[in-house]
mmCIF file of all heavy atoms in Angstrom:
data_model
loop_
_atom_site.group_PDB
_atom_site.id
_atom_site.type_symbol
_atom_site.label_atom_id
_atom_site.label_comp_id
_atom_site.label_asym_id
_atom_site.label_seq_id
_atom_site.Cartn_x
_atom_site.Cartn_y
_atom_site.Cartn_z
ATOM 1 N N MET A 178 134.509 100.882 73.908
ATOM 2 C CA MET A 178 134.116 101.968 74.766
ATOM 3 C C MET A 178 132.665 102.352 74.497
ATOM 4 O O MET A 178 132.023 101.734 73.659
ATOM 5 C CB MET A 178 135.029 103.212 74.468
ATOM 6 C CG MET A 178 136.469 103.027 75.015
ATOM 7 S SD MET A 178 136.534 102.850 76.724
ATOM 8 C CE MET A 178 136.050 104.464 77.226
ATOM 9 N N ALA A 179 132.207 103.421 75.090
ATOM 10 C CA ALA A 179 130.775 103.657 75.089
ATOM 11 C C ALA A 179 130.184 103.870 73.681
ATOM 12 O O ALA A 179 129.071 103.485 73.428
ATOM 13 C CB ALA A 179 130.488 104.899 75.938
ATOM 14 N N GLY A 180 130.948 104.518 72.884
ATOM 15 C CA GLY A 180 130.387 104.787 71.502
ATOM 16 C C GLY A 180 130.747 103.798 70.477
ATOM 17 O O GLY A 180 130.552 104.005 69.325
ATOM 18 N N GLY A 181 131.290 102.600 70.861
ATOM 19 C CA GLY A 181 131.849 101.729 69.905
ATOM 20 C C GLY A 181 130.959 101.111 68.911
ATOM 21 O O GLY A 181 131.380 100.747 67.816
ATOM 22 N N ALA A 182 129.718 100.951 69.228
ATOM 23 C CA ALA A 182 128.839 100.212 68.303
ATOM 24 C C ALA A 182 127.906 101.016 67.483
ATOM 25 O O ALA A 182 126.972 100.547 66.970
ATOM 26 C CB ALA A 182 128.035 99.200 69.129
ATOM 27 N N MET A 183 128.207 102.320 67.435
ATOM 28 C CA MET A 183 127.382 103.162 66.545
ATOM 29 C C MET A 183 127.566 102.771 65.087
ATOM 30 O O MET A 183 128.642 102.250 64.684
ATOM 31 C CB MET A 183 127.739 104.621 66.724
ATOM 32 C CG MET A 183 127.340 105.181 68.056
ATOM 33 S SD MET A 183 125.595 105.355 68.229
ATOM 34 C CE MET A 183 125.234 106.594 67.008
ATOM 35 N N ALA A 184 126.596 103.001 64.243
ATOM 36 C CA ALA A 184 126.701 102.687 62.847
ATOM 37 C C ALA A 184 127.739 103.602 62.245
ATOM 38 O O ALA A 184 128.022 104.646 62.692
ATOM 39 C CB ALA A 184 125.337 102.896 62.135
ATOM 40 N N PRO A 185 128.444 103.148 61.197
ATOM 41 C CA PRO A 185 129.545 103.894 60.615
ATOM 42 C C PRO A 185 129.076 105.214 60.080
ATOM 43 O O PRO A 185 127.935 105.407 59.682
ATOM 44 C CB PRO A 185 130.003 102.988 59.454
ATOM 45 C CG PRO A 185 129.513 101.604 59.807
ATOM 46 C CD PRO A 185 128.298 101.810 60.550
ATOM 47 N N THR A 186 129.983 106.165 60.187
ATOM 48 C CA THR A 186 129.743 107.541 59.591
ATOM 49 C C THR A 186 129.790 107.481 58.082
ATOM 50 O O THR A 186 130.308 106.517 57.478
ATOM 51 C CB THR A 186 130.763 108.539 60.166
ATOM 52 O OG1 THR A 186 132.050 108.049 59.806
ATOM 53 C CG2 THR A 186 130.598 108.704 61.641
ATOM 54 N N TYR A 192 116.989 103.209 56.234
ATOM 55 C CA TYR A 192 116.587 101.782 56.345
ATOM 56 C C TYR A 192 115.107 101.608 56.363
ATOM 57 O O TYR A 192 114.336 102.584 56.443
ATOM 58 C CB TYR A 192 117.178 101.142 57.660
ATOM 59 C CG TYR A 192 118.703 101.182 57.760
ATOM 60 C CD1 TYR A 192 119.320 102.172 58.440
ATOM 61 C CD2 TYR A 192 119.432 100.162 57.112
ATOM 62 C CE1 TYR A 192 120.695 102.194 58.587
ATOM 63 C CE2 TYR A 192 120.821 100.211 57.185
ATOM 64 C CZ TYR A 192 121.438 101.196 57.938
ATOM 65 O OH TYR A 192 122.834 101.221 58.038
ATOM 66 N N ALA A 283 132.066 105.983 80.878
ATOM 67 C CA ALA A 283 132.060 105.469 79.546
ATOM 68 C C ALA A 283 132.300 103.973 79.480
ATOM 69 O O ALA A 283 131.680 103.223 78.710
ATOM 70 C CB ALA A 283 133.101 106.221 78.713
ATOM 71 N N THR A 286 129.175 102.211 80.573
ATOM 72 C CA THR A 286 128.212 102.264 79.590
ATOM 73 C C THR A 286 128.396 101.235 78.480
ATOM 74 O O THR A 286 127.451 100.715 77.917
ATOM 75 C CB THR A 286 128.151 103.657 78.969
ATOM 76 O OG1 THR A 286 127.861 104.641 79.925
ATOM 77 C CG2 THR A 286 127.062 103.752 77.892
ATOM 78 N N ARG A 287 129.679 100.919 78.218
ATOM 79 C CA ARG A 287 129.903 99.891 77.210
ATOM 80 C C ARG A 287 129.728 98.472 77.739
ATOM 81 O O ARG A 287 129.101 97.637 77.196
ATOM 82 C CB ARG A 287 131.340 99.999 76.664
ATOM 83 C CG ARG A 287 131.643 98.936 75.598
ATOM 84 C CD ARG A 287 133.061 98.973 75.146
ATOM 85 N NE ARG A 287 133.221 97.998 74.023
ATOM 86 C CZ ARG A 287 134.381 97.759 73.436
ATOM 87 N NH1 ARG A 287 135.452 98.391 73.823
ATOM 88 N NH2 ARG A 287 134.424 96.878 72.461
ATOM 89 N N LEU A 288 130.233 98.261 78.985
ATOM 90 C CA LEU A 288 130.256 96.912 79.550
ATOM 91 C C LEU A 288 128.845 96.463 79.967
ATOM 92 O O LEU A 288 128.494 95.338 79.855
ATOM 93 C CB LEU A 288 131.230 96.880 80.693
ATOM 94 C CG LEU A 288 132.699 97.083 80.400
ATOM 95 C CD1 LEU A 288 133.532 97.070 81.664
ATOM 96 C CD2 LEU A 288 133.135 95.931 79.453
ATOM 97 N N GLY A 290 125.821 98.386 79.398
ATOM 98 C CA GLY A 290 124.778 98.907 78.513
ATOM 99 C C GLY A 290 124.286 100.296 78.869
ATOM 100 O O GLY A 290 124.537 100.776 80.000
ATOM 101 N N ARG A 291 123.624 100.925 77.911
ATOM 102 C CA ARG A 291 123.108 102.314 78.114
ATOM 103 C C ARG A 291 122.010 102.335 79.181
ATOM 104 O O ARG A 291 121.959 103.269 80.014
ATOM 105 C CB ARG A 291 122.571 102.873 76.804
ATOM 106 C CG ARG A 291 123.547 103.179 75.697
ATOM 107 C CD ARG A 291 124.607 102.196 75.504
ATOM 108 N NE ARG A 291 125.187 102.212 74.100
ATOM 109 C CZ ARG A 291 126.394 101.684 73.893
ATOM 110 N NH1 ARG A 291 127.037 101.065 74.789
ATOM 111 N NH2 ARG A 291 126.861 101.759 72.614
ATOM 112 N N LEU A 338 124.152 108.652 73.831
ATOM 113 C CA LEU A 338 124.281 107.430 73.053
ATOM 114 C C LEU A 338 122.960 106.699 72.833
ATOM 115 O O LEU A 338 122.711 106.200 71.760
ATOM 116 C CB LEU A 338 125.319 106.550 73.781
ATOM 117 C CG LEU A 338 126.819 106.801 73.546
ATOM 118 C CD1 LEU A 338 127.635 105.945 74.470
ATOM 119 C CD2 LEU A 338 127.185 106.605 72.098
ATOM 120 N N SER A 341 120.945 108.454 70.227
ATOM 121 C CA SER A 341 121.563 108.295 68.881
ATOM 122 C C SER A 341 121.318 106.926 68.363
ATOM 123 O O SER A 341 121.038 106.734 67.144
ATOM 124 C CB SER A 341 123.093 108.585 68.971
ATOM 125 O OG SER A 341 123.342 109.921 69.289
ATOM 126 N N GLU A 342 121.410 105.909 69.175
ATOM 127 C CA GLU A 342 121.311 104.522 68.722
ATOM 128 C C GLU A 342 119.846 104.045 68.520
ATOM 129 O O GLU A 342 119.580 103.162 67.725
ATOM 130 C CB GLU A 342 122.064 103.619 69.708
ATOM 131 C CG GLU A 342 123.533 103.854 69.707
ATOM 132 C CD GLU A 342 124.292 103.062 70.756
ATOM 133 O OE1 GLU A 342 123.648 102.492 71.675
ATOM 134 O OE2 GLU A 342 125.530 103.048 70.727
ATOM 135 N N MET A 343 118.942 104.717 69.218
ATOM 136 C CA MET A 343 117.531 104.349 69.078
ATOM 137 C C MET A 343 116.880 105.050 67.899
ATOM 138 O O MET A 343 115.955 104.512 67.288
ATOM 139 C CB MET A 343 116.753 104.717 70.361
ATOM 140 C CG MET A 343 117.122 103.896 71.574
ATOM 141 S SD MET A 343 116.583 102.157 71.508
ATOM 142 C CE MET A 343 114.880 102.351 72.029
ATOM 143 N N ARG A 349 117.972 111.566 63.524
ATOM 144 C CA ARG A 349 118.861 111.350 64.640
ATOM 145 C C ARG A 349 119.311 112.695 65.250
ATOM 146 O O ARG A 349 119.443 112.772 66.511
ATOM 147 C CB ARG A 349 120.101 110.506 64.175
ATOM 148 C CG ARG A 349 121.048 110.165 65.304
ATOM 149 C CD ARG A 349 122.037 109.156 64.836
ATOM 150 N NE ARG A 349 121.402 107.897 64.605
ATOM 151 C CZ ARG A 349 121.732 107.034 63.617
ATOM 152 N NH1 ARG A 349 122.676 107.376 62.781
ATOM 153 N NH2 ARG A 349 121.051 105.886 63.477
ATOM 154 N N ASP A 405 117.132 98.270 76.328
ATOM 155 C CA ASP A 405 118.463 98.780 75.947
ATOM 156 C C ASP A 405 118.483 98.926 74.412
ATOM 157 O O ASP A 405 117.614 98.455 73.706
ATOM 158 C CB ASP A 405 119.563 97.850 76.401
ATOM 159 C CG ASP A 405 120.875 98.557 76.689
ATOM 160 O OD1 ASP A 405 121.082 99.714 76.190
ATOM 161 O OD2 ASP A 405 121.719 98.032 77.467
ATOM 162 N N THR A 406 119.490 99.642 73.892
ATOM 163 C CA THR A 406 119.582 99.857 72.480
ATOM 164 C C THR A 406 119.982 98.619 71.745
ATOM 165 O O THR A 406 120.714 97.770 72.276
ATOM 166 C CB THR A 406 120.534 101.032 72.121
ATOM 167 O OG1 THR A 406 121.856 100.568 72.419
ATOM 168 C CG2 THR A 406 120.246 102.224 72.964
ATOM 169 N N PRO A 407 119.539 98.475 70.471
ATOM 170 C CA PRO A 407 120.019 97.307 69.697
ATOM 171 C C PRO A 407 121.525 97.270 69.569
ATOM 172 O O PRO A 407 122.115 96.171 69.664
ATOM 173 C CB PRO A 407 119.395 97.534 68.318
ATOM 174 C CG PRO A 407 118.205 98.418 68.586
ATOM 175 C CD PRO A 407 118.606 99.312 69.696
ATOM 176 N N ASN A 408 122.130 98.443 69.408
ATOM 177 C CA ASN A 408 123.590 98.490 69.318
ATOM 178 C C ASN A 408 124.305 97.882 70.544
ATOM 179 O O ASN A 408 125.248 97.083 70.441
ATOM 180 C CB ASN A 408 124.079 99.933 69.086
ATOM 181 C CG ASN A 408 123.332 100.596 67.951
ATOM 182 O OD1 ASN A 408 122.134 100.699 67.967
ATOM 183 N ND2 ASN A 408 124.060 101.087 66.962
ATOM 184 N N SER A 409 123.825 98.286 71.686
ATOM 185 C CA SER A 409 124.456 97.864 72.949
ATOM 186 C C SER A 409 124.181 96.369 73.142
ATOM 187 O O SER A 409 125.113 95.629 73.547
ATOM 188 C CB SER A 409 123.884 98.640 74.137
ATOM 189 O OG SER A 409 124.419 98.213 75.367
ATOM 190 N N LEU A 410 122.992 95.878 72.863
ATOM 191 C CA LEU A 410 122.700 94.472 73.085
ATOM 192 C C LEU A 410 123.554 93.607 72.131
ATOM 193 O O LEU A 410 124.111 92.627 72.568
ATOM 194 C CB LEU A 410 121.213 94.242 72.817
ATOM 195 C CG LEU A 410 120.247 94.783 73.883
ATOM 196 C CD1 LEU A 410 118.792 94.725 73.348
ATOM 197 C CD2 LEU A 410 120.373 94.030 75.196
ATOM 198 N N ILE A 411 123.625 94.001 70.867
ATOM 199 C CA ILE A 411 124.406 93.233 69.927
ATOM 200 C C ILE A 411 125.896 93.249 70.291
ATOM 201 O O ILE A 411 126.611 92.276 70.202
ATOM 202 C CB ILE A 411 124.193 93.774 68.539
ATOM 203 C CG1 ILE A 411 122.747 93.521 68.079
ATOM 204 C CG2 ILE A 411 125.107 93.110 67.525
ATOM 205 C CD1 ILE A 411 122.309 94.301 66.840
ATOM 206 N N GLU A 412 126.379 94.430 70.661
ATOM 207 C CA GLU A 412 127.789 94.605 71.043
ATOM 208 C C GLU A 412 128.137 93.669 72.200
ATOM 209 O O GLU A 412 129.276 93.212 72.303
ATOM 210 C CB GLU A 412 128.073 96.048 71.408
ATOM 211 C CG GLU A 412 129.522 96.354 71.726
ATOM 212 C CD GLU A 412 129.689 97.833 72.115
ATOM 213 O OE1 GLU A 412 128.714 98.442 72.576
ATOM 214 O OE2 GLU A 412 130.852 98.289 72.001
ATOM 215 N N ARG A 413 127.219 93.449 73.097
ATOM 216 C CA ARG A 413 127.485 92.595 74.320
ATOM 217 C C ARG A 413 127.042 91.168 74.098
ATOM 218 O O ARG A 413 127.049 90.387 75.064
ATOM 219 C CB ARG A 413 126.733 93.201 75.516
ATOM 220 C CG ARG A 413 127.342 94.485 75.963
ATOM 221 C CD ARG A 413 126.666 95.126 77.178
ATOM 222 N NE ARG A 413 125.327 95.567 76.945
ATOM 223 C CZ ARG A 413 124.238 95.156 77.550
ATOM 224 N NH1 ARG A 413 124.298 94.235 78.505
ATOM 225 N NH2 ARG A 413 123.009 95.708 77.264
ATOM 226 N N GLY A 414 126.726 90.796 72.861
ATOM 227 C CA GLY A 414 126.503 89.384 72.491
ATOM 228 C C GLY A 414 125.031 88.983 72.534
ATOM 229 O O GLY A 414 124.769 87.773 72.322
ATOM 230 N N LEU A 423 115.136 96.160 67.790
ATOM 231 C CA LEU A 423 115.244 96.893 66.544
ATOM 232 C C LEU A 423 113.872 96.797 65.773
ATOM 233 O O LEU A 423 113.439 97.775 65.190
ATOM 234 C CB LEU A 423 116.341 96.375 65.686
ATOM 235 C CG LEU A 423 116.741 97.137 64.461
ATOM 236 C CD1 LEU A 423 117.181 98.556 64.799
ATOM 237 C CD2 LEU A 423 117.859 96.462 63.661
ATOM 238 N N GLU A 435 119.635 96.849 58.297
ATOM 239 C CA GLU A 435 120.150 97.664 59.433
ATOM 240 C C GLU A 435 120.806 96.764 60.506
ATOM 241 O O GLU A 435 121.851 97.125 61.096
ATOM 242 C CB GLU A 435 119.047 98.484 60.098
ATOM 243 C CG GLU A 435 119.561 99.445 61.162
ATOM 244 C CD GLU A 435 118.469 100.332 61.704
ATOM 245 O OE1 GLU A 435 117.289 100.246 61.324
ATOM 246 O OE2 GLU A 435 118.805 101.215 62.542
ATOM 247 N N PHE A 436 120.225 95.615 60.810
ATOM 248 C CA PHE A 436 120.724 94.668 61.802
ATOM 249 C C PHE A 436 122.169 94.211 61.296
ATOM 250 O O PHE A 436 123.073 94.160 62.130
ATOM 251 C CB PHE A 436 119.826 93.470 61.887
ATOM 252 C CG PHE A 436 120.322 92.413 62.838
ATOM 253 C CD1 PHE A 436 120.219 92.591 64.229
ATOM 254 C CD2 PHE A 436 120.888 91.264 62.378
ATOM 255 C CE1 PHE A 436 120.654 91.653 65.099
ATOM 256 C CE2 PHE A 436 121.333 90.248 63.263
ATOM 257 C CZ PHE A 436 121.239 90.482 64.627
ATOM 258 N N SER A 437 122.285 93.946 60.034
ATOM 259 C CA SER A 437 123.626 93.520 59.504
ATOM 260 C C SER A 437 124.645 94.620 59.661
ATOM 261 O O SER A 437 125.810 94.345 60.010
ATOM 262 C CB SER A 437 123.460 93.081 58.035
ATOM 263 O OG SER A 437 124.720 92.717 57.481
ATOM 264 N N ASP A 438 124.276 95.839 59.335
ATOM 265 C CA ASP A 438 125.223 96.972 59.507
ATOM 266 C C ASP A 438 125.639 97.193 60.933
ATOM 267 O O ASP A 438 126.803 97.479 61.190
ATOM 268 C CB ASP A 438 124.578 98.239 58.899
ATOM 269 C CG ASP A 438 124.567 98.217 57.369
ATOM 270 O OD1 ASP A 438 125.195 97.363 56.775
ATOM 271 O OD2 ASP A 438 123.923 99.133 56.783
ATOM 272 N N ILE A 439 124.700 97.074 61.846
ATOM 273 C CA ILE A 439 125.052 97.197 63.263
ATOM 274 C C ILE A 439 126.002 96.098 63.697
ATOM 275 O O ILE A 439 126.990 96.386 64.427
ATOM 276 C CB ILE A 439 123.790 97.218 64.137
ATOM 277 C CG1 ILE A 439 122.924 98.423 63.839
ATOM 278 C CG2 ILE A 439 124.195 97.175 65.633
ATOM 279 C CD1 ILE A 439 121.566 98.429 64.605
ATOM 280 N N CYS A 440 125.736 94.905 63.266
ATOM 281 C CA CYS A 440 126.645 93.746 63.582
ATOM 282 C C CYS A 440 128.053 94.008 63.047
ATOM 283 O O CYS A 440 129.089 93.796 63.724
ATOM 284 C CB CYS A 440 126.078 92.462 63.037
ATOM 285 S SG CYS A 440 124.606 91.874 63.911
ATOM 286 N N ASP A 441 128.177 94.471 61.832
ATOM 287 C CA ASP A 441 129.436 94.829 61.251
ATOM 288 C C ASP A 441 130.153 95.925 61.995
ATOM 289 O O ASP A 441 131.356 95.856 62.244
ATOM 290 C CB ASP A 441 129.301 95.244 59.801
ATOM 291 C CG ASP A 441 128.811 94.111 58.901
ATOM 292 O OD1 ASP A 441 128.959 92.924 59.281
ATOM 293 O OD2 ASP A 441 128.293 94.396 57.737
ATOM 294 N N ALA A 442 129.373 96.930 62.441
ATOM 295 C CA ALA A 442 129.971 98.036 63.194
ATOM 296 C C ALA A 442 130.501 97.532 64.574
ATOM 297 O O ALA A 442 131.533 97.998 65.032
ATOM 298 C CB ALA A 442 128.916 99.158 63.455
ATOM 299 N N CYS A 443 129.760 96.626 65.136
ATOM 300 C CA CYS A 443 130.195 96.048 66.452
ATOM 301 C C CYS A 443 131.527 95.285 66.253
ATOM 302 O O CYS A 443 132.417 95.376 67.117
ATOM 303 C CB CYS A 443 129.135 95.159 67.011
ATOM 304 S SG CYS A 443 127.718 96.026 67.609
ATOM 305 N N VAL A 444 131.600 94.551 65.190
ATOM 306 C CA VAL A 444 132.840 93.755 64.936
ATOM 307 C C VAL A 444 134.018 94.690 64.769
ATOM 308 O O VAL A 444 135.113 94.493 65.364
ATOM 309 C CB VAL A 444 132.707 92.848 63.701
ATOM 310 C CG1 VAL A 444 134.034 92.288 63.314
ATOM 311 C CG2 VAL A 444 131.661 91.818 63.950
ATOM 312 N N GLU A 445 133.873 95.749 64.028
ATOM 313 C CA GLU A 445 134.951 96.727 63.830
ATOM 314 C C GLU A 445 135.311 97.422 65.084
ATOM 315 O O GLU A 445 136.474 97.669 65.404
ATOM 316 C CB GLU A 445 134.535 97.731 62.743
ATOM 317 C CG GLU A 445 134.428 97.196 61.367
ATOM 318 C CD GLU A 445 135.775 96.623 60.840
ATOM 319 O OE1 GLU A 445 136.794 97.252 61.078
ATOM 320 O OE2 GLU A 445 135.749 95.527 60.273
ATOM 321 N N ALA A 446 134.317 97.830 65.883
ATOM 322 C CA ALA A 446 134.562 98.533 67.083
ATOM 323 C C ALA A 446 135.279 97.730 68.126
ATOM 324 O O ALA A 446 136.183 98.176 68.827
ATOM 325 C CB ALA A 446 133.193 99.010 67.727
ATOM 326 N N ASN A 447 134.941 96.426 68.206
ATOM 327 C CA ASN A 447 135.589 95.515 69.174
ATOM 328 C C ASN A 447 137.019 95.203 68.820
ATOM 329 O O ASN A 447 137.764 94.668 69.623
ATOM 330 C CB ASN A 447 134.808 94.227 69.279
ATOM 331 C CG ASN A 447 133.489 94.474 70.049
ATOM 332 O OD1 ASN A 447 133.376 95.265 70.881
ATOM 333 N ND2 ASN A 447 132.450 93.637 69.662
ATOM 334 N N LYS A 448 137.466 95.513 67.613
ATOM 335 C CA LYS A 448 138.856 95.316 67.191
ATOM 336 C C LYS A 448 139.778 96.352 67.901
ATOM 337 O O LYS A 448 140.950 96.106 68.038
ATOM 338 C CB LYS A 448 139.003 95.435 65.726
ATOM 339 C CG LYS A 448 138.372 94.304 64.944
ATOM 340 C CD LYS A 448 138.623 94.519 63.455
ATOM 341 C CE LYS A 448 137.985 93.374 62.623
ATOM 342 N NZ LYS A 448 138.130 93.622 61.137
ATOM 343 N N VAL A 449 139.175 97.471 68.303
ATOM 344 C CA VAL A 449 139.986 98.509 68.947
ATOM 345 C C VAL A 449 139.817 98.347 70.510
ATOM 346 O O VAL A 449 138.762 98.558 71.077
ATOM 347 C CB VAL A 449 139.448 99.901 68.556
ATOM 348 C CG1 VAL A 449 140.259 100.982 69.282
ATOM 349 C CG2 VAL A 449 139.566 100.058 67.058
ATOM 350 N N PRO A 452 140.657 102.865 72.589
ATOM 351 C CA PRO A 452 140.460 104.001 71.664
ATOM 352 C C PRO A 452 141.271 105.253 72.048
ATOM 353 O O PRO A 452 141.584 106.047 71.198
ATOM 354 C CB PRO A 452 138.943 104.281 71.774
ATOM 355 C CG PRO A 452 138.577 103.618 73.047
ATOM 356 C CD PRO A 452 139.476 102.467 73.252
ATOM 357 N N TRP A 594 131.517 113.858 68.152
ATOM 358 C CA TRP A 594 131.455 112.444 67.654
ATOM 359 C C TRP A 594 131.614 112.334 66.178
ATOM 360 O O TRP A 594 132.339 111.526 65.626
ATOM 361 C CB TRP A 594 130.184 111.801 68.122
ATOM 362 C CG TRP A 594 130.259 111.197 69.525
ATOM 363 C CD1 TRP A 594 131.290 110.493 70.038
ATOM 364 C CD2 TRP A 594 129.289 111.322 70.560
ATOM 365 N NE1 TRP A 594 131.035 110.135 71.332
ATOM 366 C CE2 TRP A 594 129.754 110.635 71.703
ATOM 367 C CE3 TRP A 594 128.018 111.941 70.600
ATOM 368 C CZ2 TRP A 594 129.064 110.545 72.855
ATOM 369 C CZ3 TRP A 594 127.290 111.850 71.783
ATOM 370 C CH2 TRP A 594 127.831 111.127 72.905
ATOM 371 N N ALA A 598 136.511 109.090 63.596
ATOM 372 C CA ALA A 598 136.255 107.805 63.038
ATOM 373 C C ALA A 598 135.556 106.885 64.065
ATOM 374 O O ALA A 598 135.647 107.114 65.263
ATOM 375 C CB ALA A 598 137.557 107.154 62.522
ATOM 376 N N LEU A 599 134.886 105.828 63.606
ATOM 377 C CA LEU A 599 134.189 104.926 64.452
ATOM 378 C C LEU A 599 134.993 104.345 65.585
ATOM 379 O O LEU A 599 134.525 104.296 66.680
ATOM 380 C CB LEU A 599 133.684 103.772 63.545
ATOM 381 C CG LEU A 599 133.011 102.563 64.273
ATOM 382 C CD1 LEU A 599 131.700 102.971 64.898
ATOM 383 C CD2 LEU A 599 132.791 101.366 63.307
ATOM 384 N N CYS A 600 136.276 104.035 65.315
ATOM 385 C CA CYS A 600 137.066 103.305 66.285
ATOM 386 C C CYS A 600 137.507 104.139 67.454
ATOM 387 O O CYS A 600 137.982 103.628 68.409
ATOM 388 C CB CYS A 600 138.306 102.704 65.615
ATOM 389 S SG CYS A 600 139.376 103.947 64.816
ATOM 390 N N VAL A 601 137.278 105.482 67.396
ATOM 391 C CA VAL A 601 137.757 106.305 68.475
ATOM 392 C C VAL A 601 136.581 107.194 68.970
ATOM 393 O O VAL A 601 136.832 108.197 69.640
ATOM 394 C CB VAL A 601 138.881 107.232 68.016
ATOM 395 C CG1 VAL A 601 140.140 106.397 67.791
ATOM 396 C CG2 VAL A 601 138.558 108.041 66.851
ATOM 397 N N TRP A 602 135.344 106.746 68.742
ATOM 398 C CA TRP A 602 134.210 107.561 69.126
ATOM 399 C C TRP A 602 134.105 107.756 70.701
ATOM 400 O O TRP A 602 133.564 108.725 71.154
ATOM 401 C CB TRP A 602 132.905 107.014 68.582
ATOM 402 C CG TRP A 602 132.553 107.632 67.298
ATOM 403 C CD1 TRP A 602 133.369 108.291 66.465
ATOM 404 C CD2 TRP A 602 131.215 107.735 66.754
ATOM 405 N NE1 TRP A 602 132.679 108.749 65.366
ATOM 406 C CE2 TRP A 602 131.329 108.422 65.561
ATOM 407 C CE3 TRP A 602 129.966 107.272 67.167
ATOM 408 C CZ2 TRP A 602 130.263 108.684 64.695
ATOM 409 C CZ3 TRP A 602 128.858 107.484 66.323
ATOM 410 C CH2 TRP A 602 129.013 108.206 65.132
ATOM 411 N N ALA A 603 134.548 106.857 71.442
ATOM 412 C CA ALA A 603 134.459 106.969 72.873
ATOM 413 C C ALA A 603 135.177 108.155 73.399
ATOM 414 O O ALA A 603 134.666 108.815 74.304
ATOM 415 C CB ALA A 603 134.983 105.675 73.562
#
Side-chain angles (χ1 to χ4, degrees):
M178 292 297 292
M183 291 290 294
T186 56
Y192 299 100
T286 301
R287 180 184 186 184
L288 295 176
R291 292 42 159 161
L338 278 172
S341 293
E342 294 173 349
M343 293 289 279
R349 182 168 294 144
D405 210 339
T406 69
N408 308 58
S409 178
L410 290 168
I411 294 169
E412 184 182 23
R413 291 182 290 123
L423 189 61
E435 185 174 4
F436 179 77
S437 177
D438 284 350
I439 293 174
C440 290
D441 292 342
C443 289
V444 171
E445 291 300 316
N447 287 330
K448 291 179 181 179
V449 179
W594 274 316
L599 171 68
C600 59
V601 293
W602 264 24

